[in-house]
Amino acid sequence: MINKILVANRGEIACRIIHTCKRMGNATVCIYAPNDRNSLHVKMADEAHCIGSGEMGAGYLNGDGIIDLALKTNADAIHPGYGFLSENPDFAQMCSNKNIIFIGPSPEVIKAMGLKNEAKTIMAEAGIPVIKGFNPQDQGHASFLEMAEKMGYPVMLKAVAGGGGRGMRVVESENEMGESLDSAKRESLSSFGNDKLIIEKYVKSARHIEVQIIGDNYGNVTHLLERECSLQRRHQKVIEEAPAPGLQQATRDKLFEAAIIGSKVIGYSGVGTFEFLVDVDGHFWFLEMNTRIQVEHPVTEFITGLDIVELQIRVARDEQLPEHLNKIQARGHAIEARLYLENPDFTPSFGKLYHLGLPEEDKNLRIDRGVVEGDEVSLNYDPMIAKLISYGPSREQALKVIHNGLRSLKIGGPATNEDFLLSLVNNPHVRSGEFDTKFIETNIEDLCPNQDVSSRFLAISAYALMVKSDFSGKGHSPWFDNSGWRLGASLGREIKLQFNNRIWDFAFQGNILLLREENLSFSVEGEWIGSHDFHGKIDHEEYSLEIYSYQDDFTVFMLDQKLRLKRISEFRETRRSNNQSGTLTSPMPGLIVNVLVNKGQEIAEGESLLVLEAMKTEHVIRAPHAGTVKEIFFSIGDQVSEGIELLTIQN
């Protein structure tokens, strides 16, 4: 019997699990690092306990500390979520040793499926197709180059202990092998504590299809249909859906059969996922098995009417699978969009969520999230803050629901990928279901057009911010007049705003607003109605704006457009103008994990200079132009802040 469950995870994952635990009548215990003290999962749980420091290894990955806490709080079971400790066989064994139920498969199964080379061997022996590849004992560059030559490029490097796209690199040619190999090893070691890699032939024009399976402790195994997961960027899933559009029923049945055979071969108990590559002719290959619940499980829940976390818990308390699961049929269509904190160039975003306007949930729209308005989002964890999951009787209707949900987002604070998600769901190829795993990479320019914002929108926003900052509400004295009137002085005020990495310089005199660089002038007037709403006119056309602010950051919504603006003070602008033109600054806070050049080295435009790690992902800093490295200000292992000078390049 399970009465109390300790959830060994955080954020959206922990919130999702706690929701089901509460509905089932199970008490919950959650853990948190100091920087998560006020997080939503802490507020939702019946008990919350701090677990170590803010460092990952000393907190959410502290297996010994979590086991001790489970014993101290009399928790019968631990749910590891779908990250951190969920695929750690040693942690599952530790739970067993202390008579704590681990909500997941056995340690032996986790270990067998956790190492990709072993998993492929087991599946190949069971007659399931696997991609040609090698597991080199010698992990040196020469060994990988030799094997790539045998298979022919392109090839895929994969972390042996990996998952979630970490430690994966596609290598197109011999020249890319060295940098890709080193980067994959670092990311693998950082994410999984194991830097060993395997090498496989890369399959082009393939789709990524996965099959949800569940087994009990009595040898019963069934599938819960499939999911389409081909829309990926850097091997990270962005949009998933179920069922997979356009998949031939014959191929679908073969995938189901392979997943069930594989599950029975390893004696699987619990919820898991078999991942496959499927080519245009319906041929498929086993990729890996995830011995945990997946981020994208809500799309399966929508089309089956099941609660997969509930099924996990029921299996963990030794219940048999209900008979009706063997006859599950898809009902309608579901689509999930992952809302990430990231800038338009896909670098991580972070900071305070000073406004969080999410669409209303209903029977056709579900939102899984781990944040609330006012939360400070750090770079310590994954950048996903919420998932929007839509449902419709048809795929077309599900697309319409997800489109409307994304359009209605109003988030003030760090940049998000909502515009990119909207661009994806509106793309004609995506709408018709004609895409593969390389779709985003090969269409990135079309999917990320420059934000086309009129000077008029910027001008009315600038005017609204001037009015708010200058109006004090102290009566009708001319000293507080919004028109810019000053006794014995020339009229005029100014405001400088940063948008799209450019400074927009506005001056205001009387009711005329001047955009200096463009030499444009506008007739403006308007007033604030409440704290966030501004109604104004520009050249006699009326506009209503919704504006949210935090310190010098502003987010402006007007019709279907959105601006993220930053007020630039004279001090900030002076510092900016004094920077040397050859200085390269850090686009984000992060850890320097590699320095690829030396002082005095000649470099070419686009050459890799430094590697920065943030939000569990590596980002390569490249040369904006050719030149000579004049100074390098940091070394491997140094933590850097956003905007700090990293190195200088002399033309």
Side-chain angles (χ1 to χ4, degrees):
M1 190 66 182
I2 296 176
N3 295 307
K4 183 185 283 190
I5 297 175
L6 186 152
V7 182
N9 218 293
R10 66 177 297 279
E12 176 268 325
I13 299 170
C15 292
R16 163 69 189 94
I17 295 162
I18 292 169
H19 174 80
T20 291
C21 289
K22 285 181 174 291
R23 187 177 55 74
M24 295 180 69
N26 293 117
T28 54
V29 180
C30 81
I31 58 175
Y32 65 89
N35 58 346
D36 273 340
R37 184 178 301 275
N38 298 314
S39 294
L40 183 58
H41 76 280
V42 174
K43 298 169 185 174
M44 287 181 63
D46 297 306
E47 299 178 42
H49 297 268
C50 185
I51 185 79
S53 71
E55 294 295 324
M56 292 279 287
Y60 296 107
L61 296 179
N62 182 359
D64 289 327
I66 291 169
I67 295 286
D68 289 345
L69 181 60
L71 295 171
K72 179 181 175 182
T73 58
N74 297 314
D76 310 293
I78 292 177
H79 196 308
Y82 29 106
F84 291 142
L85 298 169
S86 62
E87 293 182 294
N88 186 318
D90 295 334
F91 181 72
Q93 187 63 56
M94 289 165 62
C95 290
S96 178
N97 294 344
K98 297 294 183 178
N99 295 317
I100 298 169
I101 296 171
F102 177 81
I103 300 178
S106 68
E108 293 78 18
V109 169
I110 295 174
K111 185 175 182 180
M113 293 295 100
L115 296 176
K116 286 184 171 59
N117 54 321
E118 292 187 18
K120 286 179 63 175
T121 300
I122 292 170
M123 293 303 144
E125 290 174 353
I128 298 171
V130 298
I131 296 173
K132 181 181 178 181
F134 296 95
N135 176 30
Q137 296 303 307
D138 178 359
Q139 291 276 308
H141 285 207
S143 179
F144 281 90
L145 284 168
E146 180 184 347
M147 292 173 184
E149 188 67 30
K150 287 181 181 178
M151 288 186 288
Y153 292 95
V155 296
M156 171 78 83
L157 302 176
K158 287 184 179 179
V160 165
R166 308 294 180 190
M168 292 176 65
R169 299 291 186 273
V170 176
V171 184
E172 298 281 355
S173 67
E174 180 181 342
N175 294 335
E176 297 179 12
M177 180 62 79
E179 184 178 324
S180 297
L181 191 61
D182 292 342
S183 178
K185 280 179 169 289
R186 283 193 305 270
E187 197 167 83
S188 177
L189 183 63
S190 172
S191 299
F192 314 112
N194 183 339
D195 71 350
K196 286 187 168 52
L197 304 177
I198 62 174
I199 183 170
E200 295 177 345
K201 179 63 182 172
Y202 180 68
V203 180
K204 290 186 174 182
S205 301
R207 295 168 66 183
H208 186 140
I209 308 291
E210 60 187 34
V211 177
Q212 178 75 69
I213 61 95
I214 183 167
D216 61 21
N217 299 326
Y218 302 93
N220 301 307
V221 180
T222 190
H223 69 81
L224 301 179
L225 308 177
E226 88 285 356
R227 295 186 287 256
E228 169 73 71
C229 302
S230 299
L231 290 173
Q232 305 175 8
R233 194 187 65 77
R234 290 190 65 175
H235 314 297
Q236 293 281 312
K237 299 165 189 173
V238 179
I239 288 179
E240 304 101 340
E241 57 184 302
L247 187 67
Q248 294 295 317
Q249 189 60 46
T251 304
R252 180 178 282 115
D253 291 340
K254 290 177 182 177
L255 293 174
F256 293 160
E257 182 184 13
I260 291 175
I261 289 172
S263 299
K264 289 185 174 181
V265 163
I266 59 176
Y268 197 80
S269 173
V271 170
T273 309
F274 274 77
E275 305 203 359
F276 300 94
L277 278 183
V278 182
D279 72 11
V280 293
D281 298 318
H283 300 124
F284 66 89
W285 298 268
F286 169 81
L287 274 178
E288 64 182 7
M289 184 193 186
N290 287 301
T291 55
R292 55 177 168 83
I293 198 169
Q294 299 265 103
V295 174
E296 57 272 23
H297 75 275
V299 294
T300 298
E301 293 183 326
F302 250 141
I303 67 167
T304 61
L306 299 170
D307 183 328
I308 292 178
V309 174
E310 178 181 343
L311 289 174
Q312 265 192 314
I313 295 171
R314 291 192 179 280
V315 168
R317 63 190 194 193
D318 211 28
E319 294 184 24
Q320 282 188 270
L321 295 179
E323 187 67 28
H324 70 84
L325 291 186
N326 292 315
K327 301 174 183 177
I328 284 290
Q329 298 290 322
R331 298 179 300 178
H333 203 94
I335 300 172
E336 175 180 289
R338 301 188 184 195
L339 187 64
Y340 289 119
L341 289 185
E342 57 185 22
N343 297 302
D345 62 356
F346 300 116
T347 56
S349 176
F350 66 98
K352 188 182 182 70
L353 288 165
Y354 53 79
H355 180 66
L356 187 61
L358 299 175
E360 290 289 327
E361 292 187 80
D362 57 32
K363 66 178 182 178
N364 294 326
L365 182 66
R366 165 177 162 179
I367 300 174
D368 287 4
R369 60 172 171 146
V371 295
V372 295
E373 186 168 293
D375 278 357
E376 191 82 30
V377 181
S378 76
L379 282 166
N380 291 333
Y381 310 111
D382 190 271
M384 191 182 73
I385 59 168
K387 302 179 301 194
L388 276 67
I389 310 103
S390 71
Y391 174 80
S394 67
R395 185 170 185 265
E396 183 180 357
Q397 288 166 301
L399 280 166
K400 183 177 180 180
V401 173
I402 200 76
H403 168 85
N404 291 340
L406 290 167
R407 273 188 60 191
S408 63
L409 287 170
K410 290 186 176 179
I411 300 174
T416 72
N417 68 331
E418 63 197 84
D419 291 337
F420 178 64
L421 293 173
L422 261 174
S423 181
L424 265 177
V425 300
N426 290 330
N427 184 276
H429 294 284
V430 173
R431 297 191 74 84
S432 65
E434 299 170 355
F435 51 83
D436 56 29
T437 56
K438 297 284 282 184
F439 178 80
I440 290 179
E441 181 181 331
T442 55
N443 294 275
I444 195 69
E445 291 186 8
D446 293 334
L447 294 169
C448 300
N450 291 326
Q451 188 176 3
D452 184 19
V453 174
S454 68
S455 300
R456 188 181 298 271
F457 187 8
L458 279 163
I460 192 70
S461 302
Y463 175 65
L465 296 177
M466 278 195 222
V467 170
K468 188 157 194 172
S469 61
D470 288 352
F471 180 65
S472 64
K474 296 180 180 180
H476 299 287
S477 165
W479 302 107
F480 306 107
D481 182 14
N482 285 333
S483 68
W485 183 90
R486 291 293 183 270
L487 181 64
S490 60
L491 301 181
R493 284 172 291 159
E494 65 178 34
I495 186 170
K496 293 182 175 67
L497 299 172
Q498 181 175 317
F499 171 70
N500 273 357
N501 296 318
R502 174 183 163 188
I503 304 298
W504 301 77
D505 190 353
F506 292 94
F508 178 50
Q509 292 186 328
N511 68 335
I512 300 298
L513 189 71
L514 178 67
L515 176 54
R516 285 175 168 154
E517 283 189 21
E518 305 287 336
N519 198 26
L520 295 174
S521 61
F522 308 91
S523 172
V524 290
E525 59 180 294
E527 62 179 340
W528 282 86
I529 306 166
S531 302
H532 304 293
D533 298 316
F534 179 83
H535 185 77
K537 290 183 180 180
I538 181 164
D539 292 340
H540 309 296
E541 290 188 24
E542 295 192 17
Y543 292 95
S544 292
L545 279 62
E546 200 174 336
I547 303 178
Y548 297 90
S549 62
Y550 175 69
Q551 297 177 350
D552 284 335
D553 291 322
F554 303 91
T555 306
V556 185
F557 301 95
M558 184 179 78
L559 300 175
D560 289 335
Q561 290 190 297
K562 172 185 63 184
L563 294 179
R564 282 192 170 86
L565 306 172
K566 183 180 287 292
R567 189 199 303 270
I568 304 297
S569 66
E570 289 184 14
F571 172 72
R572 282 173 54 92
E573 191 174 25
T574 299
R575 286 191 62 187
R576 181 187 180 95
S577 63
N578 285 342
N579 276 345
Q580 301 177 48
S581 60
T583 296
L584 206 59
T585 59
S586 177
M588 72 201 88
L591 181 72
I592 301 289
V593 295
N594 204 10
V595 179
L596 304 171
V597 293
N598 299 309
K599 183 178 177 180
Q601 182 176 329
E602 297 286 334
I603 56 170
E605 181 179 347
E607 186 170 340
S608 302
L609 306 176
L610 298 159
V611 182
L612 195 64
E613 184 184 88
M615 281 188 169
K616 302 198 296 183
T617 304
E618 288 196 353
H619 303 271
V620 179
I621 309 298
R622 301 185 185 276
H625 54 76
T628 304
V629 178
K630 187 177 179 183
E631 294 288 345
I632 302 174
F633 301 114
F634 294 96
S635 304
I636 296 173
D638 288 342
Q639 193 78 35
V640 298
S641 57
E642 181 185 19
I644 198 163
E645 296 176 1
L646 298 173
L647 50 78
T648 56
I649 304 169
Q650 191 170 31
N651 286 328

